[in-house]
Amino acid sequence: MSKRVTLAAAGFLLMALAMPLTAGAQLVYVLGGPTFPVGDFSDFANTGWFAAGGVTFPVGESGLWAGVEGSYGQNNHDESVLNVTIGDKTNLIGAMAVLGYDIPTASNVQPFIWGGLGLLVHRFSPATGSSDSESNFGYQFGAGLSFGGDESSVHPFIEGRYEGAEVSKFVSVEAGLAFGVGN
């Protein structure tokens, strides 16, 4: 069952990525950084890492934008916790639709806010034995700063996010690059 959900999410992500490519100007981005588990997830998971990539496109002229994002991250488990074996880990795989807003400024530093909804897969991979996956409704929100003026086609950025689902929640800080394509 979880393989079908994962394949369906991958198909949804590919279709969603193809749709904005027919629009005018877009940003294609990649990012990465450390994750800090919160809630029940922090009871057994250590600090981990997270990487994501996506496509956004403008919605009108007001600074509003929409897009899709795929993500992958990993957190090793704390071996001092009861019933945790050395080498146990959790992989987090996400596919989300995002909506954001670039806050207008007169400088080359552009603040932005965003949120997203979609699918977050929590895959437990024990050191021995077979993996177990759980797919849940996922959500995310964050804020950041993009650097570079309108004349630049490459924009470095930093952001912070909160992302979660029923069994996995984390906070992360990321750095990334956005590449302008299209008009």
Side-chain angles (χ1 to χ4, degrees):
M1 173 75 173
S2 66
K3 286 187 180 188
R4 280 188 261 161
V5 171
T6 303
L7 287 173
F12 165 76
L13 183 61
L14 288 174
M15 287 187 301
L17 282 171
M19 288 179 352
L21 292 178
T22 62
Q26 305 113 43
L27 287 177
V28 176
Y29 66 91
V30 293
L31 60 86
T35 60
F36 307 96
V38 296
D40 292 343
F41 190 39
S42 68
D43 291 344
F44 58 88
N46 290 325
T47 299
W49 60 269
F50 176 81
V55 175
T56 66
F57 55 97
V59 178
E61 301 292 324
S62 67
L64 189 65
W65 47 267
V68 293
E69 177 180 277
S71 62
Y72 182 84
Q74 180 177 300
N75 295 80
N76 292 331
H77 291 192
D78 185 352
E79 296 149 8
S80 67
V81 174
L82 186 64
N83 296 326
V84 171
T85 305
I86 295 173
D88 288 356
K89 64 185 173 186
T90 295
N91 297 316
L92 300 172
I93 306 155
M96 306 255 183
V98 294
L99 184 64
Y101 179 70
D102 292 331
I103 300 167
T105 65
S107 74
N108 287 340
V109 178
Q110 178 112 35
F112 60 92
I113 56 173
W114 56 271
L117 300 173
L119 177 73
L120 189 62
V121 178
H122 175 110
R123 176 180 279 162
F124 171 65
S125 298
T128 59
S130 60
S131 296
D132 183 31
S133 294
E134 184 175 335
S135 301
N136 289 288
F137 169 76
Y139 53 89
Q140 58 184 0
F141 56 87
L145 296 171
S146 177
F147 305 95
D150 290 337
E151 67 283 347
S152 176
S153 64
V154 178
H155 300 271
F157 65 92
I158 56 172
E159 69 178 33
R161 79 170 58 203
Y162 178 89
E163 187 163 334
E166 185 177 332
V167 294
S168 314
K169 296 174 181 66
F170 64 87
V171 174
S172 64
V173 179
E174 303 115 15
L177 289 174
F179 305 92
V181 295
N183 296 344

